[in-house]
Amino acid sequence: PNSPLFASSAIMSLASLKSLRGKLSYKKWVLYYRYEQQFGNSGTFLLNTAFLGMFTGMVIDNHTRKQNAAIEEYNVRKENIMAHDKKMWQHERDAHKLNIPELETSVFRF
């Protein structure tokens, strides 16, 4: 019992620490009550608006990404079809190409 923990000043300081903790806890609940009175149980209107805007932006961004991917896929398919068409028309032109010098010699033969 000669340890400083059992000294009267240590016991008083411990009691004052407990008292201080109680006062802080009381002030915390008073602040919470005043905040709840002023702003209600939910967040503030500004915070709710910010979350709503963020969620709306996420939905719109997702829609835009899907739309752009579909457009890109369509453009790739269209380019492939146009290239195939071009190749087929070139085959047609090559198959039906007229030999002009041969025609001229046959016309002017007589």
Side-chain angles (χ1 to χ4, degrees), residues 19-85:
S19 165
L20 179 65
R21 190 179 73 180
K23 285 178 187 171
L24 288 177
S25 176
Y26 174 75
K27 288 182 179 178
K28 175 184 73 173
W29 286 109
V30 166
L31 284 173
Y32 174 72
Y33 177 70
R34 287 184 183 160
Y35 178 86
E36 190 179 354
Q37 268 189 329
Q38 188 171 357
F39 297 114
N41 224 354
S42 65
T44 62
F45 175 74
L46 189 62
L47 185 66
N48 290 338
T49 307
F51 277 120
L52 179 66
M54 188 171 60
F55 178 73
T56 307
M58 288 164 57
V59 169
I60 291 173
D61 184 53
N62 187 33
H63 174 71
T64 307
R65 285 173 187 267
K66 285 183 180 176
Q67 208 171 26
N68 287 344
I71 290 169
E72 188 64 31
E73 185 183 342
Y74 169 78
N75 286 338
V76 167
R77 283 202 326 265
K78 185 177 171 186
E79 285 172 10
N80 289 340
I81 290 170
M82 294 300 284
H84 182 71
D85 259 7

Side-chain angles (χ1 to χ4, degrees), residues 93-107:
R93 280 194 295 274
D94 291 345
H96 300 290
K97 188 160 78 171
L98 295 174
N99 193 346
I100 301 298
E102 184 188 350
L103 284 173
E104 285 177 348
T105 53
S106 67
V107 165

